[in-house]
Amino acid sequence: MSVLITLLLTALLATFAGFVMPSSEVRRVSGIGFALALVFLGVNWGEDQVLFNGLYVFDAFARGITLVVLLAALMAVLVGTRYLAATQAERFEYYALLGYAVLGAHVIGATTNLVVMLIGIEILSIPLYVLAGFRRDLESYEASVKYFLLGAAASGILFYGIVLHYGATGAFTVGAAGEGLLYFAAMALILTGLGFKVALVPFQWWTPDVYQGSPTPVTLFMASGVKAAAFAALARVLVGSGLEGPWGALFALMVALTVLFGNLAALVQNEAKRVLAYSSIAHAGYAALALLGPDAGPALGYYLFAYAISTGLAFGVLSVVDEGKGVPYGALRGLLQRAPLLGVGWVFAMLSLAGIPPFVGFWAKYLVILEAARGGAYGLVVFALLTSVVAAFYYLRLLALAAFSAPASMEVPAARSGARFALVVAAGLVVLLGLWAGLGFGLFANAAALAP
Amino acid sequence: MSLFDLVAGLLLILTAVAVVTLRNAVHAALALAGNFLVLAAVYMALDARFLGWIQVIVYAGAIMVLFLFVIMLLLAARADTGVDPVPSLRPFAGVVGVLLLVGLGYAVTTFEPVQSLVETAPLLAGGTAQVVGEALYGPWLYAVELIAVLLLAATVAAVVMVQPEVRRPRVKPQVAERERELEEVTR
């Protein structure tokens, strides 16, 4: 409850503070608000809360998702400044819209009611449509329009699915018992709508264009925070309804296609943001592996957490390097020599995303694969392992560019102190949680019960 | 099936087809407004009276008017006729649509209601504002509050989207030249 109220007040303050103070002060307001929510989250860590007639369920899984979203939002605030100034897009509304998006993500994570989930998805999505078009150029507008049109269509499908779910089960709660063709149709439509939000194949087409066109700090938040929130909804629905019969097979097929398509398409890109977009599709597939296991909560939560700090670190570095025109491979050449901090961050992020020990990404991948194996999906496990070897190729190529190529010029992108702090913390977490895996996993260990 | 069901159903389908097929955007928008009106009547016939009136007031009265404003402001009444980037998709979309219709129709006709309508219908009490209000400010209070936040967020988002670019004070070249000279003099 205190987290919810803090996030609401943060968004409201950021909305109205901009009328009387410069945008740098609004940045401070929203940063402090998110940090305060993080503190309240820590204080209330062990307590489950069910409020508002069961519409607000603050359990272990909700806390984990909120933690991931808050970390992503803090990264987006801290590294966003320089990018926004460089692209003449620095307006205080950035922080206000980010505040609403974080609130929406928290609402999605902390409910088992489909209607509230839907409202949360809209509170999250509508500010993001605008944030995607925050830079005033055609590429950014294109990202915004594409995201909005496809997102609205996906929301419509989700609406219809929820209505049919009510028809088939008589309840809006996830996991309500239902059977028959109408229930199947409802679940298919819900899976389509949520599959779009997490970018599972074949609903992933918007991801590369939107990730590439959006301002880089916004992409950071989309890849880490939004993905976590969308997965929270998907996990609650799928774990609640169970994955028996045709469901399991259909979902396993989607997961297989997702890891295959994401990794193969990432091989042939030549722009860093676009590669990471395809890589995020593949990572959605890996995270979804956990849902095939008998006890999805901890593994999925930990994967989202690990992926959020790794990809947050990668996009954080790109936010500093990017001048608003994307990051072609040449811009990363010799980053380690030109700017050691950025270079080290980039190398760590790539190693972690590739799943190489002893970085946090390795343990995350290990846990989801273990979970899928416990669920008996051995063929899929082998397939996912093979595709993750393919993935190592493009991650190591990006790493090699930064670490071993000779730089074209010695121009050093200057990170501001806030961004430097965020990058150091993220890089530290990637290593620390990799070396001491139990520390991070302890946060999610009791997130077992997802459905009411 | 009464005469009302038949007429309303036909009107709904006809107006919906018109919305999708008419090339003139104003005509399509008016057909959509007609669709909303018929839908409102259907809601009322299904004992959801308050919702029916809201449908008229908000959808037909506010949203469609906004649509018409936009269409007229952008002079977009005539769509890009003759420009169909992927004409090969059209039959495919038709087939998928028909499949969806058949599947959902089959699902709806074969399913057994989980709650008996004879028992639950009296609980609706005609769907007046009183019952709806008791539900909204009782069990659904959290959702209502969230929707308030959603509307505020959407307002902020819409304002940001259309906000004109902030104009920075531009320094004229002559002024810049003069400032440079002054700097040299002081040095």
Side-chain angles (χ1 to χ4, degrees):
Chain A
M1 186 75 187
S2 49
V3 177
L4 185 72
I5 290 174
T6 314
L7 288 178
L8 176 64
L9 288 180
T10 307
L12 288 178
L13 262 180
T15 306
F16 296 107
F19 297 141
V20 291
M21 46 175 81
S23 78
S24 58
E25 295 296 315
V26 182
R27 179 177 85 239
R28 195 159 297 149
V29 167
S30 69
I32 291 172
F34 292 146
L36 208 61
L38 211 53
V39 169
F40 282 128
L41 191 65
V43 170
N44 295 339
W45 191 259
E47 297 167 36
D48 286 5
Q49 275 182 327
V50 179
L51 296 166
F52 298 111
N53 288 305
L55 297 188
Y56 179 77
V57 179
F58 196 53
D59 56 5
F61 187 67
R63 287 194 292 273
I65 294 295
T66 309
L67 172 68
V68 173
V69 171
L70 281 175
L71 287 179
L74 275 172
M75 278 290 274
V77 167
L78 286 173
V79 303
T81 333
R82 195 209 66 90
Y83 181 91
L84 292 176
T87 52
Q88 267 107 49
E90 194 173 23
R91 281 165 282 154
F92 75 91
E93 290 92 340
Y94 173 79
Y95 306 105
L97 292 174
L98 199 63
Y100 290 113
V102 173
L103 178 68
H106 173 64
V107 167
I108 298 170
T111 188
T112 55
N113 186 291
L114 287 168
V115 174
V116 174
M117 219 174 252
L118 188 74
I119 300 171
I121 287 177
E122 291 304 309
I123 300 179
L124 171 67
S125 301
I126 288 177
L128 274 178
Y129 300 146
V130 175
L131 281 175
F134 213 67
R135 219 174 50 223
R136 303 262 184 218
D137 58 38
L138 284 180
E139 213 185 334
S140 192
Y141 288 156
E142 186 195 330
S144 178
V145 168
K146 225 168 231 179
Y147 196 22
F148 172 65
L149 290 180
L150 292 175
S155 289
I157 292 171
L158 187 59
F159 275 12
Y160 199 20
I162 290 172
V163 169
L164 288 187
H165 183 275
Y166 184 73
T169 66
F172 283 120
T173 327
V174 300
E179 54 186 13
L181 205 55
L182 194 68
Y183 184 66
F184 183 81
M187 291 306 292
L189 291 174
I190 292 177
L191 187 61
T192 305
L194 291 177
F196 171 88
K197 299 286 175 194
V198 299
L200 286 178
V201 174
F203 311 114
Q204 86 295 3
W205 299 106
W206 58 278
T207 316
D209 290 336
V210 172
Y211 278 28
Q212 191 181 19
S214 303
T216 316
V218 176
T219 314
L220 189 166
F221 184 68
M222 284 180 191
S224 41
V226 177
K227 187 146 284 196
F231 254 110
L234 187 69
R236 298 249 196 215
V237 169
L238 284 186
V239 171
S241 64
L243 272 171
E244 284 100 24
W247 278 119
L250 190 68
F251 189 67
L253 181 68
M254 276 171 78
V255 173
L257 285 176
T258 308
V259 287
L260 184 71
F261 176 84
N263 284 322
L264 287 187
L267 283 179
V268 292
Q269 305 303 323
N270 55 11
E271 204 262 348
K273 272 166 83 181
R274 211 170 166 84
V275 178
L276 288 184
Y278 280 108
S279 123
S280 91
I281 295 175
H283 278 281
Y286 293 123
L289 273 180
L291 292 173
L292 294 164
D295 180 18
L300 177 68
Y302 187 68
Y303 193 93
L304 293 173
F305 176 59
Y307 176 67
I309 50 178
S310 310
T311 201
L313 180 59
F315 276 114
V317 172
L318 290 186
S319 301
V320 179
V321 177
D322 192 354
E323 297 290 343
K325 299 202 168 47
V327 188
Y329 278 3
L332 290 171
R333 225 167 254 280
L335 192 64
L336 196 61
Q337 299 165 38
R338 286 188 288 156
L341 172 70
L342 296 181
V344 169
W346 182 253
V347 167
F348 281 5
M350 288 304 113
L351 288 172
S352 176
L353 286 174
I356 291 170
F359 294 92
V360 68
F362 166 74
W363 294 108
K365 217 167 249 177
Y366 171 75
L367 279 173
V368 289
I369 282 175
L370 192 68
E371 194 60 38
R374 278 173 66 198
Y378 297 112
L380 196 58
V381 164
V382 173
F383 189 69
L385 282 173
L386 287 177
T387 53
S388 77
V389 175
V390 175
F393 176 75
Y394 61 83
Y395 287 126
L396 293 182
R397 183 166 62 183
L398 283 171
L399 183 153
L401 269 175
F404 305 125
S405 296
S409 73
M410 288 305 283
E411 202 178 307
V412 180
R416 295 196 181 176
S417 55
R420 226 177 291 140
F421 171 73
L423 291 178
V424 167
V425 169
L429 277 178
V430 166
V431 178
L432 178 72
L433 295 176
L435 293 174
W436 189 6
L439 183 68
F441 189 63
L443 296 177
F444 297 92
N446 53 0
L450 290 181
Chain B
M1 189 179 283
S2 67
L3 184 66
F4 173 80
D5 291 351
L6 203 65
V7 173
L10 269 179
L11 276 176
L12 275 181
I13 293 173
L14 277 180
T15 46
V17 169
V19 173
V20 187
T21 52
L22 284 177
R23 292 265 167 145
N24 188 316
V26 175
H27 295 176
L30 289 176
L32 190 54
N35 186 291
F36 287 153
L37 292 178
V38 181
L39 195 59
V42 172
Y43 280 155
M44 291 175 195
L46 290 173
D47 263 4
R49 289 183 203 151
F50 183 63
L51 192 63
W53 284 115
I54 293 295
Q55 169 87 7
V56 174
I57 294 168
V58 175
Y59 277 85
I63 296 180
M64 283 322 296
V65 171
L66 212 58
F67 272 35
L68 284 171
F69 274 150
V70 171
I71 293 168
M72 289 173 178
L73 278 176
L74 297 180
L75 303 174
R78 283 171 60 87
D80 290 339
T81 45
V83 184
D84 192 353
V86 267
S88 54
L89 271 183
R90 197 165 280 209
F92 180 69
V95 169
V96 171
V98 169
L99 278 181
L100 194 66
L101 184 71
V102 170
L104 283 175
Y106 182 71
V108 168
T109 46
T110 55
F111 115 105
E112 293 160 22
V114 281
Q115 290 161 324
S116 147
L117 284 178
V118 182
E119 283 172 28
T120 48
L123 295 178
L124 276 175
T128 53
Q130 190 189 348
V131 238
V132 175
E134 277 164 9
L136 284 185
Y137 291 92
W140 289 99
L141 180 63
Y142 181 52
V144 173
E145 286 170 351
L146 283 180
I147 287 174
V149 177
L150 172 61
L151 291 178
L152 179 62
T155 310
V156 175
V159 170
V160 174
M161 195 75 232
V162 298
Q163 197 179 42
E165 204 162 339
V166 180
R167 294 191 196 285
R168 289 168 201 290
R170 260 177 54 194
V171 183
K172 284 184 184 165
Q174 301 95 307
V175 178
E177 182 80 2
R178 181 90 187 112
E179 278 176 355
R180 247 194 317 277
E181 277 170 17
L182 277 175
E183 229 171 69
E184 268 170 32
V185 168
T186 48
R187 214 183 294 149

